[in-house]
Amino acid sequence: MLSRTADHLFWMARYMERAENTARILDVTYRLSLLPQSEAEVQTMWGGMLKIMELEDAFHVRHEAITPEAVLAFMIFDRENPGSIYRCLRATRENAHAVRGTLTSELWETSNETWLKMRDFTLAKMMESGPGAFFEWVKYRSHLSRGVTIGTMLQDESLRFIRLGTFLERADNTARILEVKYLNLLPGSEDDVHTADYYQWSALLHSVSAFEVYRRVYRDQITPLRVAELLVLRADMPRSLARSMKEVYSNLSRLSNVRSAETERLAGELESHLHFGRIESIFEGGFRQYLENFRDRIFDLGCRISDDFLIPTTAES
Amino acid sequence: MAITKFFNEMTADDGSVRAHYAAYAAWLSDTPADRIARKRAEADSLFHRFGITFAVYGEESGTERLIPFDIIPRIIPAKEWSDLEAGLRQRVKALNSFIHDIYHDQEILKAGHIPAEQVLNNAQYRPEMQGVNVPCDIYAHIAGVDVVRAGAGEFYVLEDNLRVPSGVSYMLEDRRMMMRLFPELFARHRVAPVEHYPDMLLHTLRSVAPVGVTDPTVVVMTPGAYNSAYFEHAFLAQQMGVELVEGQDLFVREDQVFMRTTQGPRRVDVIYRRVDDDFLDPQAFRKDSMIGVPGLLNAYRAGRVTLSNAIGTGVADDKSIYPYVPEMIRFYLGEEPILNNVPTYMCRKPEDLAYTLAHLSELVVKEVHGAGGYGMLVGPASTKEEIATFRKYLVANPEKYIAQPTLALSNCPTFVESGVAPRHLDLRPFVLSGTEVQMVPGGLTRVALRDGSLVVNSSQGGGTKDTWVLEA
């Protein structure tokens, strides 16, 4: 397959996944901001989210004060903000457009239709029916896009680059979602969960569609350690770091070319750490440290995949 | 000269419905207006969702415009089509022979049928092609010949498009849309299918692969996603199951073309290029081309890759060469032309210029190298000021213009804001030439949506209709 085509497929999938996870992060932050608390606390929460999305400075260029409405406007509709859902869906569609001949018609139409609908949304319209409904819409469009991908695309290289993009992005994004929470929720002892905290943790679980899963897996109280274990180490949890890395590794190893051996090794190494890791030892070294380090390694993998597969080889190579 | 009477595709002069439109006209009058309105709205939203659009430069992505689609088909009876088809095959065969001759022995010039300077001084003549042999001696593998009906219904060829003719994707999508919206109509009519066009195209492209290549790799080459015809490029690549490449995806090493893939370089044998000659190779043609492939011309001249269409076909579809096509048919095929040419005044000739200047308000004046409906004057539809401006252009550069009588283009009932009204149309059938000449029945029907307009180009607000050739 053309390197350029692979590049567009990879980024098409990454931007769709990013749009979905941005909706998830905004959703959980919005829900938490509705809990009884002081205005300062609410501001800290939104500020923390912007920080983890690495968009704090960009936000302050555009807005003075952190208010829920300003952050939502910035993170959803702002055309100047490359991380806004608007921009993610536009980039998804632009990448799909560039390779529409490689996609099935259904997949192209899904992405095109998502973008056409997104253009019709406005902040006022969204606030009227509640941001929750909008976030739901973004998630469902992403679900649909993934379902159409799996349900219609030939299982060849193109599908693998799409899947690779999806899971590399998800690994990064789930780590960020965890960071947002662990920023102001320092896990205490296992049996000491306050009522207020309970809502915080359950909101986090809801944001990654893991609330029911948690109940089923642990059949017990919600504790920070288990939440972390579920979202980091449980490979049967579809949005966990372990599951994402398993998918990254297996798709990557099937795409293998003459240059990619080291990239595969690094992905495999990261995957096996998650496979054999224990949450207690991760916490001992500091959870936030761990997540930051994990995201650095995901970033590095992304660069390597680009170099190995996506940047056109020169005439000399 | 005011034009008063037009040939109507659906109804005869006495007001009766023509036989081949009878079933359709009955259906149309039986179908409630609100159902039609619903279907028309559905067609619009489907075209948007499918992204069957052409890009509008300088606007935000996703604001591509739709080419208006009209649900009243243009119907052609079997016998008319078979005559037309024979004429088109004849014409394209002669044109390919002409291009081959021009780039080899130039017999037709030696025989004095066409003034040599008309050909050799033409900007579309490519000296780089002189003496180069191409597979099957075929240059224009894909030809889109614009045909109109005028007068009492006879066909005229308006223009031979032999460079990168577009529009075939709309022909296919219009059919898909009609079958989706009105399946019952296809049960009532024996409409000749067109859906196998991509298959035929692939077959044609494979048949002209470089000598010795048994399982050729075919690609479609596009200027990129922002080109106005990008939808068509992507569509054809997808339908044929071949890669859609841009110039940056290709490179030439030792006269062999390769594409850059995730598994390293892969050889390319046939390039269906939708890029103009000028932009193909910055080493040979325009140096500033960002969409070409350095070294492509050398690989091509060495016979290591087939370009489709060949370089230099423009020498045969130029408006200054057009008047000589009937002569080509007689010269190369020893046959009389089946299709009419429109009488053409070549303004480089003093007597033709004088006639043109004296009859500007009746004539259509076109730029010799113009395309897309730009830079033309439709005399009867123009103001005194427009005519005066054009007069200045003509006097300053007469060799840049030709003039033709304003044809009374046929019209066909079409949905417009005020209801159903007759609008003028043309037809672009596509002729594929490889080891054999092939066509699907029909082509793309374009319709001028503005009342009285004779310009059907989509860039000038034209629309399209599904074209039905009825089987006998």
Side-chain angles (χ1 to χ4, degrees), chain B residues 360-426:
Chain B
L360 273 180
S361 62
E362 303 162 18
L363 298 171
V364 176
V365 186
K366 295 175 180 173
E367 270 184 44
V368 171
H369 305 301
Y374 294 103
M376 65 189 272
L377 175 85
V378 181
S382 301
T383 62
K384 283 201 173 111
E385 290 72 31
E386 285 165 337
I387 290 178
T389 316
F390 237 82
R391 181 182 300 275
K392 278 185 215 147
Y393 297 158
L394 268 166
V395 172
N397 292 300
E399 70 287 350
K400 278 176 69 178
Y401 296 93
I402 55 146
Q404 293 170 334
T406 308
L407 292 182
L409 297 197
S410 69
N411 59 32
C412 181
T414 301
F415 275 95
V416 293
E417 267 179 46
S418 55
V420 177
R423 288 291 182 268
H424 297 294
L425 27 88
D426 81 348

Side-chain angles (χ1 to χ4, degrees), chain A residues 40-302:
Chain A
E41 281 173 305
V42 172
Q43 264 196 18
T44 313
M45 191 182 310
W46 285 109
M49 186 218 70
L50 286 171
K51 190 169 175 195
I52 296 222
M53 304 293 279
E54 295 168 44
L55 290 167
E56 214 179 9
D57 294 343
F59 177 84
H60 286 295
V61 171
R62 318 267 294 158
H63 302 269
E64 274 186 19
I66 293 182
T67 65
E69 282 220 8
V71 178
L72 288 178
F74 177 71
M75 289 302 300
I76 297 173
F77 296 105
D78 198 324
R79 292 166 191 216
E80 306 298 318
N81 170 13
S84 70
I85 292 178
Y86 179 94
R87 284 283 295 271
C88 288
L89 293 180
R90 188 174 86 186
T92 306
R93 193 266 184 190
E94 273 178 1
N95 279 291
H97 186 236
V99 290
R100 58 181 290 174
T102 306
L103 307 177
T104 54
S105 315
E106 286 100 321
L107 184 52
W108 153 250
E109 283 164 29
T110 302
S111 153
N112 191 40
E113 205 180 19
T114 303
W115 164 242
L116 293 176
K117 286 236 172 72
M118 179 67 217
R119 282 192 314 162
D120 291 340
F121 274 108
T122 60
L123 184 64
K125 236 195 228 176
M126 184 198 76
M127 292 309 276
E128 194 193 291
S129 49
F134 174 77
F135 297 136
E136 196 93 312
W137 175 79
V138 177
K139 278 195 279 174
Y140 272 99
R141 294 308 297 186
S142 177
H143 292 327
L144 183 62
S145 156
R146 233 177 357 258
V148 171
T149 302
I150 293 167
T152 66
M153 289 286 291
L154 183 69
Q155 304 216 349
D156 67 355
E157 248 188 307
S158 49
L159 179 67
R160 280 172 214 132
F161 276 109
I162 293 176
R163 303 290 283 168
L164 188 58
T166 300
F167 287 104
L168 199 70
E169 186 66 27
R170 187 179 292 174
D172 169 277
N173 294 173
T174 298
R176 282 182 205 266
I177 294 176
L178 284 167
E179 276 180 77
V180 175
K181 282 309 111 222
Y182 282 81
L183 199 64
N184 33 11
L185 279 178
L186 287 176
S189 70
E190 269 199 52
D191 38 28
D192 181 27
V193 175
H194 304 297
T195 323
D197 285 354
Y198 169 83
Y199 286 105
Q200 302 260 3
W201 292 113
S202 66
L204 170 64
L205 288 170
H206 277 298
S207 79
V208 288
S209 310
F211 186 78
E212 292 97 338
V213 172
Y214 183 96
R215 288 294 195 217
R216 184 182 301 200
V217 170
Y218 296 102
R219 301 173 184 283
D220 200 354
Q221 264 191 308
I222 294 174
T223 73
L225 201 69
R226 285 186 194 139
V227 172
E229 184 185 66
L230 180 68
L231 298 183
V232 175
L233 297 178
R234 293 285 304 215
D236 49 2
M237 165 64 206
R239 310 198 73 82
S240 71
L241 305 190
R243 167 49 52 185
S244 301
M245 278 315 299
K246 254 194 183 6
E247 296 283 352
V248 166
Y249 179 69
S250 81
N251 282 290
L252 195 55
S253 60
R254 277 182 287 175
L255 286 166
S256 174
N257 70 13
V258 291
R259 306 204 278 179
S260 64
E262 178 62 8
T263 307
E264 286 168 59
R265 191 191 68 75
L266 287 167
E269 187 180 48
L270 192 52
E271 196 252 314
S272 61
H273 279 165
L274 289 161
H275 186 77
F276 295 109
R278 288 170 52 81
I279 198 68
E280 290 80 6
S281 51
I282 289 176
F283 269 61
E284 270 164 32
F287 191 44
R288 278 187 56 203
Q289 223 57 51
Y290 174 83
L291 291 172
E292 266 175 39
N293 176 266
F294 177 81
R295 284 206 293 114
D296 287 346
R297 294 172 76 173
I298 291 294
F299 178 79
D300 177 56
L301 272 180

